[in-house]
């Protein structure tokens, strides 16, 4: 009898593949493929796999190579782009969804991405994270701007948030961009603008020599750990006396940001702790930058937004981070309820 095992392998084809994996003839019929089943013409869950890999920072070429190496399937870069394009409608719905009326805090920042529009140029992508009155974190949206980061564009971003239902924000935490406090006052007059401490510290170390970081850190710590604004100013003057001649730019940095740095010092220690130490937007930006760096540049603005949306979509798949975040914020939310009692809605409204 003719032995089918001697006739060699045959290709197995699939809807997402240009040429399928090689499947060996099995006379006894005992071999059962586990990844691509017999007579299967579509890789199960391939769309989900492509979107997941894309969100983790892999380029379309790297995803194509991954399928060829692991599954023996040739999935073209064009096919991968079509699969990821399926989320565009979902992204548009997400960017227009209604939001809560009141947020305890909103963290904002922008990252630079390279977009090839005639020639490759840096374009800012604006992001905002809101902390609800239940202590939960929510990425409120992504907006593509032009030129460098500017307060004027932030006005359109905050106006969009207001139009989607946000009536009040207790604290807005930012990187100290010039003109931003006036922009925030136009949208939410009662909102307190707080300069992000992490940005101040990072910029201070960027302007100083690494050998002086430890000593400079010791002089900066009493400023943001001060019991009130007067004590903070006294600590600042000590720091300025010690480092003013060597690093005048560091002293000027803190002095220029002073009015937006000190507001949190007037509040409960629990509120100070989350506003001072919670680097919410930076952890998100780190994920964004990882995905952006892998691609180098994007062909269009829409492609950049799609990439960052997929990263946002893939955050915290198990939900454990959401639980930890809410637990960390619960003491602060109680403090917010007392401090901002006249603006804190009744429990049944949130």
């Amino acid at each position: 009898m003719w032995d089918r095992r001697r006739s060699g392998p045959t290709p197995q084809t699939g809807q997402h593949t240009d040429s399928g994996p090689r499947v060996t003839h099995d006379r006894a019929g005992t071999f059962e493929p586990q990844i691509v089943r017999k007579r299967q013409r579509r890789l199960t869950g391939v769309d989900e796999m492509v979107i997941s890999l894309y969100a983790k920072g892999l380029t379309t070429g790297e995803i194509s190579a991954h399928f060829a190496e692991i599954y023996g399937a040739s999935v073209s870069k064009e096919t991968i782009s079509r699969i990821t394009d399926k989320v565009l409608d979902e992204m548009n719905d997400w960017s227009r969804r209604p939001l809560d009326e009141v947020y305890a805090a909103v963290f904002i920042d922008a990252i630079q991405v390279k977009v090839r529009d005639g020639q490759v140029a840096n374009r800012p992508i604006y992001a905002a994270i809101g902390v609800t009155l239940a202590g939960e974190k929510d990425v409120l949206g992504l907006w593509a701007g032009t030129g460098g980061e500017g307060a004027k564009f932030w006005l359109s971003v905050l106006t969009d948030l207001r139009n989607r239902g946000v009536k009040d924000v207790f604290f807005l935490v930012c990187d100290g961009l010039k003109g931003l406090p006036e922009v925030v006052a136009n949208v939410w007059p009662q909102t307190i603008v707080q300069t992000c401490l992490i940005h101040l510290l990072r910029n201070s170390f960027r302007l100083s020599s690494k050998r002086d970081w430890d000593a400079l850190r010791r002089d900066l710590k009493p400023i943001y750990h001060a019991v009130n604004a007067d004590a903070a100013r006294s600590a600042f003057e000590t720091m300025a006396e010690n480092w003013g001649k060597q690093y005048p730019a560091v002293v000027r940095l803190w002095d220029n940001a002073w009015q937006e740095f000190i507001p949190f010092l007037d509040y409960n220690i629990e509120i100070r702790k989350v506003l001072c130490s919670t680097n919410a937007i930076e952890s998100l930006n780190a994920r964004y930058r990882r995905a952006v760096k892998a691609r180098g540049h994007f062909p269009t603005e829409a492609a950049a937004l799609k990439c960052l949306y997929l990263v946002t979509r893939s955050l915290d798949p198990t939900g454990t981070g959401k639980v930890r975040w809410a637990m960390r914020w619960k003491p602060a939310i109680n403090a917010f309820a007392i401090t901002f009692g006249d603006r804190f809605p009744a429990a049944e409204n949130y």
Side-chain angles (χ1 to χ4, degrees), residues 144-181:
T146 57
E149 181 184 1
K152 185 177 180 180
F153 193 87
W154 274 119
L155 176 60
S156 66
V157 169
L158 300 183
T159 301
D160 178 56
L161 294 179
R162 184 180 61 187
N163 292 341
R164 288 164 59 193
V166 182
K167 296 181 179 179
D168 194 12
V169 174
F170 298 152
F171 279 90
L172 186 134
V173 183
C174 61
D175 61 359
L177 183 67
K178 186 177 181 180
L180 194 56

Side-chain angles (χ1 to χ4, degrees), residues 103-109 149 151 154-155 158 168-197 199-200 256-267 271 275-276 336 340 343:
Y103 284 88
V106 170
F107 297 80
I108 64 171
D109 201 3
E149 181 184 1
W154 274 119
L155 176 60
L158 300 183
D168 194 12
V169 174
F170 298 152
F171 279 90
L172 186 134
V173 183
C174 61
D175 61 359
L177 183 67
K178 186 177 181 180
L180 194 56
E182 292 77 15
V183 165
V184 176
N186 283 332
V187 181
W188 301 304
Q190 293 181 287
T191 297
I192 300 167
V193 178
Q194 174 66 50
T195 293
C196 177
L197 176 62
H199 280 86
L200 278 175
N256 290 342
W258 194 255
Q259 293 305 315
E260 283 72 50
F261 161 70
I262 59 174
F264 81 113
L265 296 174
D266 293 333
Y267 293 91
I271 294 177
L275 294 179
C276 174
F336 277 117
F340 300 96
R343 295 159 59 190

Side-chain angles (χ1 to χ4, degrees), residues 186-257:
N186 283 332
V187 181
W188 301 304
Q190 293 181 287
T191 297
I192 300 167
V193 178
Q194 174 66 50
T195 293
C196 177
L197 176 62
I198 303 299
H199 280 86
L200 278 175
L201 293 174
R202 182 185 297 120
N203 290 333
S204 297
F205 297 136
R206 189 175 295 153
L207 293 169
S208 57
S209 172
K210 189 173 183 178
R211 68 173 181 270
D212 295 323
W213 284 1
D214 288 339
L216 181 60
R217 186 181 292 111
R218 284 194 296 269
D219 280 351
L220 290 173
K221 191 172 182 179
I223 300 176
Y224 56 86
H225 279 190
V227 295
N228 54 43
D230 290 337
R233 190 66 191 185
S234 177
F236 166 76
E237 289 172 356
T238 300
M239 185 276 292
E241 184 179 344
N242 292 341
W243 298 100
K245 291 182 179 180
Q246 190 171 359
Y247 300 120
V250 174
V251 175
R252 186 168 59 249
L253 171 72
W254 282 81
D255 200 30
N256 290 342

